[in-house]
């Protein structure tokens, strides 16, 4: 994506559900095992709920047992960005959409090979497109 998506909070609130806004725009977290995609096994692409950027593929999804959708790599690495997160008295790596800065979740180094990564995401930050 060439142009960065920039909108005001009021614009986002009109486009997103309250949960999507809380998670994607305010760095919230949905409860484990409550999201729409944690147990989804259909083939397709997971896009950013805010801007539609292609983020993850069902081919890279795995059951982490955590209750959140988990992936071992992004579909398009250039669409996913990370930064250090020191909230809740711990150090984690936050994952967000590189285009619109929507909070997606966190990435951990306890995933399967070949990457050893676990992108642990919120369903509320994603939009599934079946293939």
């Amino acid at each position: 994506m060439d142009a960065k998506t920039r909108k005001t909070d009021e614009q986002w609130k009109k486009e997103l559900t309250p949960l999507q806004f809380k998670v994607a725009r305010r760095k919230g977290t949905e409860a484990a095992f409550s999201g729409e995609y944690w147990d989804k096994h259909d083939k397709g692409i997971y896009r950013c709920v805010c801007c539609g950027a292609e983020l993850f593929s069902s081919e890279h999804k795995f059951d982490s047992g955590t209750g959140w959708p988990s992936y071992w790599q992004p579909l398009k690495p250039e669409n996913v960005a990370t930064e250090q997160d020191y909230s809740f008295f711990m150090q984690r790596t936050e994952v967000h959409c590189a285009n619109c800065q929507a909070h997606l979740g966190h990435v951990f180094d306890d995933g399967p090979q070949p990457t050893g990564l676990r992108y642990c995401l919120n369903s509320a930050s994603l939009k599934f497109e079946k293939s």
Side-chain angles (χ1 to χ4, degrees), residues 1 9 13 23 28 33 42-43 47 53 60 67 70-71 76 79 82 86 88 90 94 102-103 105 115 119-120 126:
M1 306 196 107
D9 282 350
K13 284 179 182 178
V23 172
F33 303 101
D42 295 347
K43 300 290 183 204
R47 294 178 174 273
H60 305 134
S70 298
Y71 309 82
K76 295 199 172 182
N79 290 347
T82 61
Y86 299 99
F88 301 106
M90 61 180 106
E94 179 195 352
H103 172 74
T115 64
Y119 288 84
C120 188
L126 304 172

Side-chain angles (χ1 to χ4, degrees), residues 1 8-9 11 16 18 25 30 55 58 61 75 81 85 87 89 96 101 120 122 124:
M1 306 196 107
T8 66
D9 282 350
Q11 289 172 308
L16 303 171
R25 306 313 315 170
E30 63 197 9
L55 302 173
S58 60
K61 191 172 190 271
L75 173 63
D85 174 5
S87 62
F89 305 104
H96 58 268
Q101 304 303 306
C120 188
N122 292 284

Side-chain angles (χ1 to χ4, degrees), residues 61-76:
K61 191 172 190 271
F62 70 99
D63 183 4
S64 65
T66 62
W68 288 281
S70 298
Y71 309 82
W72 51 270
Q73 76 177 24
L75 173 63
K76 295 199 172 182

Side-chain angles (χ1 to χ4, degrees), residues 27 81-86 92-96 101 106:
K27 299 185 180 189
T82 61
E83 66 183 57
Q84 290 306 302
D85 174 5
Y86 299 99
R92 300 177 292 176
T93 303
E94 179 195 352
V95 179
H96 58 268
Q101 304 303 306
H106 293 87

